[in-house]
Amino acid sequence: MGKKIKTIGEALRDIRKIKGMTQNEIVTKKLTRSSIAKIETNKVNPSYTTITTFANQLGVSLEEVLYFQNNYSVSKKERLIYEFRNLRISSYENPINDLIREMNVYLNEQYDIQIAELKAVLEASVIFTSTDDINQSREKVNFIWERLERQDEWFYFDILLLSNIIYVFENDILIDISKKIMKEMEKFTFTVSSRRLKMSLVLNLGLFLKFANKMDLAIEFIETGIDLAKQNEDLVIEYLAYYRKAEYLLYRGNYEEANKIYNKSVEFYKFIENEIMLNDITKDWLNYRMKLELD
């Protein structure tokens, strides 16, 4: 059996002891010695404000307290959301399909709207990449947009969804909606994954503009994706963005430079032994050359 999950009071007490602090050392005007003792012995149920004050006095974040409380583990739902956020931008075979299967198992045990929406996003992504059928992909995720367009503002999870389903919008409003999403992201500038989310959005936008035959508009977002990948020190995504730039150069007729950048991306994925990304870009490259009637 796993370790027993602590109460919030027990977690705060244990963190205080680990840090070698006494109850008197964390007393404030709003957090008395008596209140601390009652919280740590589960005699009161502290409010959010009190817990935050307690954590601040200990020099830890509320998120860290909750993680410690759960014995440095997360719930199955949180793990699924984490895996969704950290999927490399690849819609072929195992990575996404494995996660869809895990989400199906979870949803069979208990229904959860967030997991159901993430699963729909993944399924739509597979359809879009494997068939280029944008209408079928839209049908899969339309229920998400129907919910979001009724909201006056979007929260982080909403933006996570939108950054992955921007193809639900018609081509003539796609860029305007994307810019609105980018503006909404500014509220979360100081969160850990804000830049990663923005990186995902601009690269997805570049990809969908490619499928919409608007490559001249795509390059701006591809270049932004390269810059964000560098800021995130994410070489896997940086070289994916380079590959997308190679596609643009191929479209523009700059074949020599296009092949040079494409080969650089191929060599990188070979070097790190990332077969999934390697297969993705080599397959896409052949398909795109055929579309441009170069082969």
Side-chain angles (χ1 to χ4, degrees):
M1 293 181 65
K3 292 182 180 179
K4 177 185 174 183
I5 302 299
K6 301 177 176 71
T7 65
I8 192 67
E10 291 167 345
L12 290 165
R13 177 202 64 201
D14 290 351
I15 293 171
R16 176 180 62 76
K17 289 182 177 180
I18 289 170
K19 284 179 166 282
M21 301 174 71
T22 66
Q23 291 180 339
N24 286 330
E25 287 178 300
I26 58 174
V27 168
T28 70
K29 290 182 179 179
K30 294 183 179 180
L31 187 64
T32 65
R33 167 73 171 69
S34 175
S35 296
I36 293 169
K38 289 177 180 178
I39 291 169
E40 291 188 348
T41 54
N42 301 318
K43 291 181 179 177
V44 296
N45 188 22
S47 66
Y48 173 84
T49 301
T50 300
I51 295 170
T52 302
T53 300
F54 202 138
N56 286 340
Q57 290 299 101
L58 293 173
V60 295
S61 67
L62 178 57
E63 182 180 21
E64 192 171 5
V65 172
L66 296 176
Y67 194 47
F68 177 81
Q69 181 189 5
N70 286 280
N71 298 312
Y72 299 110
S73 64
V74 296
S75 68
K76 187 173 182 180
K77 174 182 175 177
E78 290 170 325
R79 182 178 62 78
L80 291 172
I81 294 174
Y82 172 84
E83 290 182 4
F84 178 93
R85 286 202 319 264
N86 289 277
L87 269 176
R88 296 308 184 188
I89 303 177
S90 169
S91 295
Y92 294 103
E93 299 302 330
N94 294 335
I96 286 183
N97 288 329
D98 286 349
L99 188 51
I100 289 172
R101 281 191 287 271
E102 286 190 58
M103 288 179 171
N104 276 327
V105 171
Y106 181 87
L107 291 169
N108 284 334
E109 296 171 355
Q110 60 185 96
Y111 182 76
D112 183 281
I113 184 61
Q114 288 185 316
I115 299 301
E117 289 181 337
L118 291 179
K119 184 172 82 77
V121 170
L122 294 177
E123 291 171 337
S125 179
V126 171
I127 292 169
F128 181 70
T129 307
S130 60
T131 69
D132 292 351
D133 189 336
I134 198 166
N135 291 322
Q136 190 179 351
S137 298
R138 283 173 177 158
E139 288 176 9
K140 181 66 75 170
V141 294
N142 267 339
F143 76 100
I144 298 174
W145 175 238
E146 288 172 359
R147 172 178 73 79
L148 293 177
E149 71 175 337
R150 295 194 298 267
Q151 296 180 195
D152 293 329
E153 61 179 295
W154 296 324
F155 297 95
Y156 182 85
F157 186 80
D158 300 330
I159 295 173
L160 175 65
L161 293 170
L162 283 166
S163 68
N164 286 278
I165 63 167
I166 54 176
Y167 51 81
V168 301
F169 307 110
E170 297 297 334
N171 294 338
D172 56 341
I173 64 169
L174 181 63
I175 293 178
D176 287 339
I177 289 291
S178 296
K179 288 179 178 178
K180 180 182 178 183
I181 296 171
M182 296 278 278
K183 186 174 181 180
E184 288 285 304
M185 282 184 186
E186 292 176 6
K187 296 184 296 189
F188 306 98
T189 298
F190 299 105
T191 62
V192 174
S193 50
S194 173
R195 285 189 304 191
R196 178 172 292 279
L197 187 55
K198 187 178 291 186
M199 179 178 67
S200 174
L201 173 62
V202 295
L203 287 177
N204 281 340
L205 182 56
L207 177 62
F208 301 140
L209 287 169
K210 167 193 164 183
F211 279 101
N213 296 315
K214 294 188 176 183
M215 282 295 275
D216 288 320
L217 298 176
I219 188 59
E220 173 188 352
F221 299 98
I222 293 169
E223 294 285 11
T224 301
I226 292 172
D227 289 341
L228 288 169
K230 288 179 177 178
Q231 291 175 34
N232 289 326
E233 298 181 344
D234 191 330
L235 287 173
V236 173
I237 301 304
E238 183 180 340
Y239 276 85
L240 174 63
Y242 285 138
Y243 165 74
R244 297 271 172 82
K245 184 173 182 177
E247 285 187 327
Y248 169 77
L249 293 169
L250 198 66
Y251 158 79
R252 295 290 297 174
N254 191 342
Y255 305 130
E256 183 177 351
E257 186 66 17
N259 282 308
K260 180 180 177 182
I261 295 177
Y262 166 69
N263 289 327
K264 183 170 72 171
S265 297
V266 167
E267 290 306 312
F268 171 75
Y269 291 125
K270 284 182 179 178
F271 177 74
I272 66 170
E273 298 181 347
N274 189 325
E275 293 295 327
I276 293 170
M277 295 300 291
L278 180 61
N279 291 337
D280 282 4
I281 66 171
T282 51
K283 181 177 179 180
D284 277 354
W285 187 250
L286 291 173
N287 289 339
Y288 196 54
R289 286 183 62 89
M290 289 177 61
K291 182 178 180 179
L292 296 177
E293 299 182 347
L294 297 176
D295 290 326

